[in-house]
Amino acid sequence: MSRRSATYAFALGFIALPASGEETTLPPVVVSTRLESVEAFDAPASVSVVDIADRAHADLAESLAQAPGVIARDRRNHAQDTQLSIRGFGARATFGVRGVRLYADGIPATMPDGQGQVSHLDLVAADRIEILRGPFSALYGNASGGVVQVFTADGAEPAQVRVQTAFGSDGERIHGARALGAIGPVGYHVAFAVADTDGWREHSASRRESANLKLRVPVGDDGTLDLVANGYRAPEAQDPLGLTRADARADPRRATPAALAFDTRKSTAQNQLGAVWRHALGGGHALRATAYAGRRTIEQFLAVPITAQASPTSAGGVVDLAGDYGGVDLRWSWHGELASRAVEIDAGIDADRQRQHRRGFENFVGSATGIRGALRRDEINDARSVDRYAQAWWAFAPRWSALVGARASDVRFASDDRYVTAANPDDGGRVDYAQTTPVAGLVFAPRDDVRVHASAGRGFETPTFNELGYRADGGSGLAFDLKPARSRNLELGAKWRGADGASLEAALFRADTDDELAVARNVGGRSSYRNVGRARRQGVEISASIPLSTAWRVDIAATRLDATFRDAFAVCTAAGCTTPTARVTPGTRLPGVARDQAWLRAAWRDGGWSAAMQASAVGRVTVDDRGTEAAPGYARVDVEAACDFAFGDGTLRAFARIDNVFDRGYVGSVIVNEGNARYYEPGAARTWLAGLRWTWDAR
């Protein structure tokens, strides 16, 4: 994308701003930049808030699509996490979510090594989702290409109970309930959900169970304590694996033959407890402390061929992972005045740790496949991070404010190999990384309803345990030569808020990264990685919310993202390759990233009736580092309708939706650099969902 076209797009987004400078009532949203007293509108950052409290059916991938710069791909495969990226960061992940920080009610869902999961983020209990993009994401530490936070509602009077059930295509069944209220001074919010599906694709059935509890307890006259607990269980979610291009065209609903032969599947369980304590000290001072701990277990059966496991260094075809994790965060803040102008200062320290016991087994016994066999891997992995951070915001002039901050991070990886033989050397070891990431931003308010901001900062992303596990040269020990990817981030943005609830935002951004990580080779079921040089992600985002009348509203989000490698490097192109020979030329697009993306939702409400039409379009997406293949772009349309019926103190809502109304064939997500060229995960054809939701006051 040229600088001129980006500038034109940015300017055109603000041509239609009202000419008056009348004072506008702004929504009191304080989010994501860690400021306690500054609204997102006044921060030099791009922040989106997705309200899902009143949605009859909320899906994470669909909800995040409303934010510009965000790609959330629903794989139709619950054995794999939602594929999530922000401004191109995280798009190349083939496992979990990396490059993006995740939080639920202030509790991290991203581990110290930079890898996270979104499977336990239950939207039945959710109230809103907040997405932070741009340089200030770096204040959250390692792997902060962006930040996604899910928040549940606080319990308060009057008490309310909601019960919901829905049925849909391919045996989909979703049941949930939640209750929120208060018992004396203690607010509560409890929610449960169960979701089953036979799967749109062959061999993709799954069941997901979740439970969430949030209590808010007053502590003294000036403090509160939030207690958060959640549990998640997904027993034996079937994995149909990706398809080759030819197979995806011939029969997008089929599973890969290897998925059936090895009965590929994944079982996950996670339980977590967290606490957030806030206390006002007087004089504008306040303390906030967060502590959390949890345990996550995974058993995953892969389709690693038996012949590949003949290598003495193979880790087998069954992953058995049990991990404990936890952390603490202590923050001090003060807001007052400096030179008779408002100021806020925050400083804190956090420490996080994950300790996981990773074992690998063969996925066969004799000639029988898809069952646990002999032990092939046994190690204890430990990752720890200690971060110190500080930031200061100051409205130093009537229409000007500045925000500056920095975070100093120390991340340590250690591995204790307990499976050492004459042919399988010790893969243990330790490696440490340290990085300081400064950020700064400036905001100008030419009118009460307009903000223009500029920001700059640095970020970094360490290798995860999966990438550190094996060396590219085939030697023993961790991949000590891997460096963190370091980025320099710039953003220029503008925001407008209308008195009638209308809004318009636009941003130009650029992120230049050194030491990008890519696959070096695949041998004996082991993937190793290396740093491949520079990359650039730049583009423009525009979003708008337009109330056309008391009944109609239109929401729009659009992104143009140009993400390319800037250095040449060589890659392996097939499983078993030991020496990279295929050349990637400068200017090649980063795989997993769409250049163009657009989303539109037109919603209507009149009394108890409501309806909405949603259209989304995604451009062409390359699937490997060389850009030799690509998933074609597509557009799809979804519709939904609902009606509310009042019954005494309650309301019964009947709702229905149809996804992919025109039954278009498309690729929903891609598996970047898949060693067998099975890159493609087809999206679903036309599907439907219908249900009932009953809400009543429980007085």
Side-chain angles (χ1 to χ4, degrees):
M1 181 182 64
S2 68
R3 293 184 180 180
R4 178 176 294 179
S5 63
T7 304
Y8 285 166
F10 182 79
L12 285 171
F14 282 83
I15 287 177
L17 288 183
S20 68
E22 296 178 359
E23 185 174 350
T24 303
T25 302
L26 302 174
V29 180
V30 181
V31 295
S32 291
T33 53
R34 293 188 180 268
L35 295 169
E36 298 289 342
S37 60
V38 181
E39 295 180 3
F41 187 71
D42 293 311
S46 295
V47 179
S48 298
V49 181
V50 180
D51 184 0
I52 59 174
D54 197 41
R55 291 284 185 91
H57 172 63
D59 174 81
L60 184 65
E62 175 195 339
S63 300
L64 292 177
Q66 304 177 37
V70 179
I71 296 179
R73 302 182 188 277
D74 182 3
R75 298 174 180 267
R76 290 284 168 168
N77 177 1
H78 294 122
Q80 301 292 337
D81 238 324
T82 300
Q83 195 174 60
L84 176 63
S85 67
I86 295 180
R87 292 183 176 176
F89 288 99
R92 301 172 67 229
T94 57
F95 44 85
V97 177
R98 56 160 302 168
V100 176
R101 299 289 296 185
L102 308 171
Y103 292 83
D105 280 324
I107 306 300
T110 298
M111 298 296 101
D113 71 341
Q115 186 171 333
Q117 296 86 24
V118 298
S119 55
H120 71 290
L121 304 183
D122 179 19
L123 298 193
V124 170
D127 181 60
R128 69 188 189 280
I129 303 173
E130 300 173 359
I131 304 102
L132 171 66
R133 308 178 300 282
F136 278 90
S137 302
L139 288 178
Y140 285 80
N142 178 25
S144 295
V147 181
V148 175
Q149 302 199 63
V150 177
F151 292 93
T152 58
D154 297 329
E157 291 290 355
Q160 185 186 84
V161 176
R162 174 184 294 176
V163 177
Q164 178 172 310
T165 187
F167 298 87
S169 301
D170 306 305
E172 188 164 16
R173 306 169 299 281
I174 305 173
H175 312 296
R178 78 174 195 178
L180 34 82
I183 301 175
V186 178
Y188 65 86
H189 182 173
V190 59
F192 303 91
V194 177
D196 292 281
T197 181
D198 296 335
W200 182 76
R201 290 180 61 194
E202 179 185 21
H203 194 70
S204 62
S206 70
R207 178 181 179 87
R208 291 158 290 151
E209 305 166 355
S210 62
N212 292 269
L213 173 66
K214 180 179 178 181
L215 301 176
R216 172 158 291 181
V217 182
V219 180
D221 296 330
D222 301 304
T224 60
L225 177 64
D226 287 350
L227 300 174
V228 181
N230 58 62
Y232 173 77
R233 182 173 176 267
E236 296 201 351
Q238 294 177 332
D239 187 351
L241 302 179
L243 297 174
T244 65
R245 184 169 189 154
D247 288 341
R249 285 178 173 176
D251 184 4
R253 300 192 68 157
R254 69 176 298 190
T256 299
L260 303 178
F262 288 95
D263 191 15
T264 49
R265 61 199 186 274
K266 181 180 179 181
S267 297
T268 306
Q270 178 168 321
N271 295 297
Q272 180 175 284
L273 294 172
V276 181
W277 170 72
R278 305 173 183 86
H279 187 73
L281 301 176
H285 297 272
L287 289 177
R288 174 187 172 114
T290 302
Y292 70 98
R295 181 172 179 82
R296 184 178 179 90
T297 60
I298 295 174
E299 183 185 50
Q300 185 170 14
F301 287 76
L302 307 174
V304 179
I306 294 176
T307 54
Q309 296 175 68
S311 167
T313 60
S314 170
V318 180
V319 176
D320 186 315
L321 181 64
D324 298 312
Y325 60 89
V328 294
D329 181 297
L330 180 62
R331 186 191 319 170
W332 161 84
S333 64
W334 172 76
H335 58 87
E337 290 188 352
L338 176 64
S340 300
R341 305 295 303 173
V343 66
E344 178 179 331
I345 301 174
D346 298 80
I349 183 171
D350 65 38
D352 300 277
R353 182 183 182 183
Q354 66 181 113
R355 181 178 175 84
Q356 56 189 26
H357 187 190
R358 180 185 292 269
R359 295 187 297 170
F361 297 85
E362 293 174 345
N363 57 4
F364 65 94
V365 175
S367 61
T369 58
I371 57 178
R372 181 186 293 215
L375 178 70
R376 299 298 300 274
R377 183 179 187 180
D378 188 357
E379 62 193 40
I380 301 295
N381 294 328
D382 187 277
R384 304 184 187 189
S385 65
V386 177
D387 291 24
R388 288 79 62 197
Y389 58 88
Q391 65 178 1
W393 175 86
W394 186 29
F396 61 89
R399 293 193 175 274
W400 291 88
S401 64
L403 176 62
V404 296
R407 187 178 185 103
S409 302
D410 293 290
V411 186
R412 190 197 79 179
F413 295 86
S415 181
D416 177 15
D417 192 350
R418 299 182 175 182
Y419 185 82
V420 180
T421 68
N424 188 339
D426 188 349
D427 290 316
R430 171 177 168 172
V431 61
D432 300 296
Y433 300 105
Q435 185 73 31
T436 298
T437 51
V439 291
L442 194 65
V443 177
F444 173 57
R447 297 178 357 192
D448 291 338
D449 57 354
V450 175
R451 302 291 185 270
V452 179
H453 73 265
S455 59
R458 294 182 179 272
F460 83 111
E461 181 179 359
T462 68
T464 66
F465 256 126
N466 286 36
E467 292 156 341
L468 284 168
Y470 304 114
R471 289 169 47 172
D473 62 5
S476 60
L478 298 180
F480 298 109
D481 59 331
L482 288 182
K483 304 174 184 177
R486 294 179 171 88
S487 59
R488 300 174 301 282
N489 304 282
L490 300 172
E491 178 177 290
L492 174 64
K495 312 171 188 178
W496 169 74
R497 294 288 187 271
D500 59 353
S503 66
L504 178 62
E505 297 189 13
L508 295 171
F509 60 88
R510 172 179 286 183
D512 288 309
T513 304
D514 296 326
D515 296 319
E516 278 278 330
L517 287 164
V519 173
R521 66 178 197 166
N522 293 289
V523 179
R526 292 184 170 190
S527 295
S528 56
Y529 296 78
R530 65 191 179 108
N531 298 103
V532 297
R534 299 176 300 163
R536 172 171 288 174
R537 299 165 174 87
Q538 63 179 353
V540 58
E541 301 169 349
I542 296 177
S543 62
S545 183
I546 309 167
L548 302 177
S549 67
T550 56
W552 283 93
R553 172 177 289 273
V554 173
D555 295 290
I556 301 169
T559 305
R560 161 59 70 93
L561 173 61
D562 186 21
T564 59
F565 294 111
R566 299 189 68 202
D567 288 332
F569 61 97
V571 296
C572 281
T573 58
C577 167
T578 59
T579 304
T581 56
R583 183 176 174 82
V584 176
T585 59
T588 302
R589 289 171 54 185
L590 266 65
V593 179
R595 176 170 292 172
D596 297 296
Q597 182 178 347
W599 175 89
L600 179 145
R601 178 181 173 88
W604 168 83
R605 178 181 288 275
D606 186 6
W609 292 87
S610 62
M613 183 277 293
Q614 184 171 290
S616 56
V618 178
R620 181 174 177 268
V621 177
T622 56
V623 298
D624 64 348
D625 287 336
R626 293 190 300 156
T628 57
E629 289 191 32
Y634 67 89
R636 53 173 270 186
V637 175
D638 311 320
V639 297
E640 62 183 63
C643 184
D644 294 333
F645 304 93
F647 291 97
D649 293 332
T651 301
L652 179 66
R653 165 169 288 193
F655 61 89
R657 62 178 291 147
I658 300 175
D659 291 333
N660 196 4
V661 172
F662 299 108
D663 201 24
R664 301 295 300 271
Y666 68 100
V667 175
S669 65
V670 298
I671 307 172
V672 173
N673 290 325
E674 209 280 337
N676 298 289
R678 298 192 295 246
Y679 304 115
Y680 305 96
E681 293 184 295
R686 184 190 299 117
T687 59
W688 62 270
L689 183 78
L692 297 171
R693 187 178 76 188
W694 186 23
T695 305
W696 72 94
D697 293 335
R699 301 181 181 180

